[in-house]
Amino acid sequence: LLCNAYQKIIPIDISNPEKPVELMEYIWQPDEYKEKIPPIYQFGYKDGFIFLMCAELKKAIRVYKIEKPFKPILVATLNLEMYKDEEYQSFVSKNWYPNEILLDKNLLFVSFGNLLTIVDVSNPDSPILINVYKAKENIESITKYENKLFLCLSEEKIQWK
């Protein structure tokens, strides 16, 4: 089990569900703190890979292969810097923190503020950015029902694609 501590990812041994054990020797902090601003992460796990999202646009989406017992090896990154909105340049801006992720089969949906990215992760070593959708407001959550993707926006409006 992997626990998201926002700046760190903590593996937990749940072989005995009555007594879970934090594997402190394997705590993973993907980045060093810069300018005293801690990074905020969201991640998903699929088939031995972690898909890690962060606010650093040059490597906003990263893919790590996990070697046992818990050793993440970086295999790919996606740069989203070309989608940067000049209005939101601050690193601490909520608009570039990854708000929500959804892994659905071979598709990864990630919201960064009002930006929704859709990534094909069928080959985790070479993820492909399929599309970028810019909503009118921050995307707070993402869900899928049948073949429709629903976005809950910050002003309580729902959009679907």
Side-chain angles (χ1 to χ4, degrees):
L1 175 70
L2 298 175
C3 178
N4 186 353
Y6 291 102
Q7 290 111 20
K8 298 175 185 169
I9 295 175
I10 304 169
I12 300 174
D13 179 355
I14 56 172
S15 57
N16 179 354
E18 300 296 320
K19 294 184 180 180
V21 176
E22 288 183 355
L23 302 174
M24 301 305 279
E25 67 271 26
Y26 296 110
I27 287 180
W28 178 41
Q29 182 177 333
D31 297 302
E32 295 297 319
Y33 291 13
K34 294 179 181 176
E35 302 171 16
K36 299 182 182 178
I37 300 171
I40 304 293
Y41 301 108
Q42 294 288 348
F43 73 90
Y45 178 85
K46 180 183 176 216
D47 301 332
F49 290 88
I50 288 180
F51 300 90
L52 182 80
M53 280 52 72
C54 73
E56 190 173 337
L57 295 180
K58 287 184 181 176
K59 51 184 179 177
I61 300 175
R62 296 180 241 176
V63 182
Y64 293 85
K65 182 175 180 160
I66 303 303
E67 293 184 355
K68 292 188 178 191
F70 182 72
K71 183 179 177 186
I73 307 295
L74 182 65
V75 295
T77 62
L78 281 177
N79 183 341
L80 298 179
E81 198 166 47
M82 69 283 283
Y83 300 103
K84 182 177 186 177
D85 188 331
E86 293 302 321
E87 182 180 343
Y88 304 108
Q89 288 189 27
S90 170
F91 180 77
V92 296
S93 169
K94 179 181 177 183
N95 276 35
W96 280 107
Y97 280 160
N99 297 342
E100 182 79 15
I101 68 162
L102 173 67
L103 256 171
D104 182 50
K105 298 178 185 163
N106 288 326
L107 293 177
L108 172 66
F109 301 90
V110 185
S111 69
F112 292 90
N114 66 337
L115 195 70
L116 175 70
T117 60
I118 304 166
V119 181
D120 177 346
V121 293
S122 56
N123 178 2
D125 292 319
S126 296
I128 299 168
L129 184 62
I130 295 175
N131 203 352
V132 175
Y133 169 74
K134 190 170 185 179
K136 293 178 183 175
E137 300 164 27
N138 281 344
I139 301 166
E140 299 296 334
S141 66
I142 307 167
T143 193
K144 187 177 176 208
Y145 177 73
E146 294 178 350
N147 287 329
K148 290 190 174 42
L149 187 68
F150 292 85
L151 309 176
C152 182
L153 305 180
S154 57
E155 294 297 320
E156 301 177 19
K157 297 174 186 168
I158 297 176
Q159 292 185 356
W160 60 273
K161 283 282 184 191

